[in-house]
């Protein structure tokens, strides 16, 4: 949870093959936060550990931050938090189904921070994003195959079906890059699907606590190493 522990985990993940780092900055008591006093030290530690570049640059390992409502429950206050940042991440995920998502994305873009539009099945996020004038300006779409995976058969197969349906729903808006990921029992099957489709993918303890063989993962780095070795 501390900046130093996040940086150590990130450095190990990069050494294992990660091309990018996603973090949830946290207060000392463990609550996720968008406060500049919390974000700043995390970015400083991460960039020292993995050689990440500052916002708007291309060298190094990009640092991505999530902005879900769990980090700031007051949706109207989140753009204010963005405007108060001193240190800027390279990329910020915006959950498009959450209230005031466009205002949040606009605040990030006005500060020169790249936006990743996070879209989930079973929400109005994909439809809202399709209508948004900001859609052509996002750097990437995060297709998050998590939600009510209904139907018969193994949970992993249902997760893949959920991912396929989500991809069909959102298409490839303006040729924007896509990152596809699943969670829990669907994390590895969806990662394999992403590789087969030539899409970016992600893995980490946020998504699953288990390796492809079902054993417990000891670290983000162990998950990344397994993802690098995953066959198509």
């Amino acid at each position: 949870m501390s900046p130093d522990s996040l940086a150590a985990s990130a450095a190990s993940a990069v050494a294992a093959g990660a091309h990018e780092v996603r973090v949830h900055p946290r207060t000392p008591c463990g609550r996720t936060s968008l406060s500049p006093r919390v974000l700043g030290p995390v970015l400083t530690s991460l960039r020292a550990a993995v050689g990440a570049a500052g916002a708007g640059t291309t060298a190094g390992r990009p640092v991505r931050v999530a902005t879900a409502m769990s980090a700031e429950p007051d949706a109207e206050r989140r753009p204010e938090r963005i405007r108060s940042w001193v240190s800027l991440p390279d990329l910020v995920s915006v959950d498009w189904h959450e209230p005031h998502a466009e205002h949040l994305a606009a605040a990030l873009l006005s500060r020169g921070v790249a936006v990743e539009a996070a879209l989930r099945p079973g929400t109005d996020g994909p439809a809202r994003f399709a209508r948004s004038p900001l859609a052509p300006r996002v750097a990437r779409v995060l297709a998050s195959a998590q939600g009510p995976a209904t139907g018969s058969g193994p949970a992993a197969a249902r997760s893949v079906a959920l991912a396929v349906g989500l991809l069909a729903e959102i298409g490839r808006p303006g040729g924007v890059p896509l990152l596809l990921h699943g969670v829990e029992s669907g994390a590895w099957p969806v990662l394999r699907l992403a590789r087969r489709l030539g899409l970016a993918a992600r893995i980490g303890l946020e998504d699953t606590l288990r390796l492809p063989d079902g054993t417990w993962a000891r670290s983000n780095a162990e998950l990344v190493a397994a993802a690098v070795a995953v066959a198509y």
Side-chain angles (χ1 to χ4, degrees):
M1 294 189 296
S2 71
D4 287 346
S5 63
L6 286 171
S9 180
S12 297
V14 166
H19 293 275
E20 185 179 302
V21 175
R22 172 184 166 97
V23 294
H24 293 265
R26 296 178 183 272
T27 65
C29 64
R31 186 178 67 83
T32 56
S33 174
L34 299 180
S35 165
R37 294 191 299 273
V38 175
L39 175 64
V42 168
L43 293 178
T44 298
S45 294
L46 282 172
R47 287 176 172 144
V50 302
T57 60
T58 57
R61 296 293 190 275
V63 176
R64 177 161 55 112
V65 174
T67 56
M69 289 190 70
S70 57
E72 178 50 71
D74 187 341
E76 295 184 359
R77 191 183 180 195
R78 282 188 289 170
E80 296 178 13
R81 286 291 203 189
I82 303 303
R83 288 189 283 270
S84 72
W85 286 352
V86 177
S87 299
L88 300 176
D90 300 289
L91 185 68
V92 172
S93 294
V94 175
D95 289 328
W96 223 265
H97 63 279
E98 292 188 343
H100 303 286
E102 282 199 3
H103 294 139
L104 181 62
L108 290 162
L109 292 169
S110 71
R111 299 219 57 193
V113 179
V115 171
E116 176 184 70
L119 308 180
R120 292 187 184 183
T123 72
D124 64 352
R128 288 173 57 189
F129 180 72
R131 298 191 301 266
S132 174
L134 298 181
R137 298 180 60 188
V138 304
R140 186 168 68 197
V141 169
L142 170 63
S144 186
Q146 53 182 306
T150 59
S152 59
R158 296 200 302 271
S159 294
V160 170
L162 196 68
V164 171
L166 177 60
L167 292 175
E169 182 179 6
I170 64 180
R172 289 294 290 268
V176 174
L178 269 168
L179 185 152
L180 176 65
H181 86 102
V183 296
E184 298 178 354
S185 62
W188 293 106
V190 173
L191 185 141
R192 292 187 180 94
L193 174 65
R195 294 196 63 180
R196 289 196 300 271
L197 296 176
L199 302 177
R202 84 177 201 202
I203 200 71
L205 296 171
E206 177 181 3
D207 298 329
T208 180
L209 301 179
R210 294 185 182 273
L211 295 167
D213 64 3
T215 59
W216 295 103
R218 293 171 294 180
S219 65
N220 283 307
E222 193 169 31
L223 289 169
V224 170
V228 171
V230 161
Y232 287 86

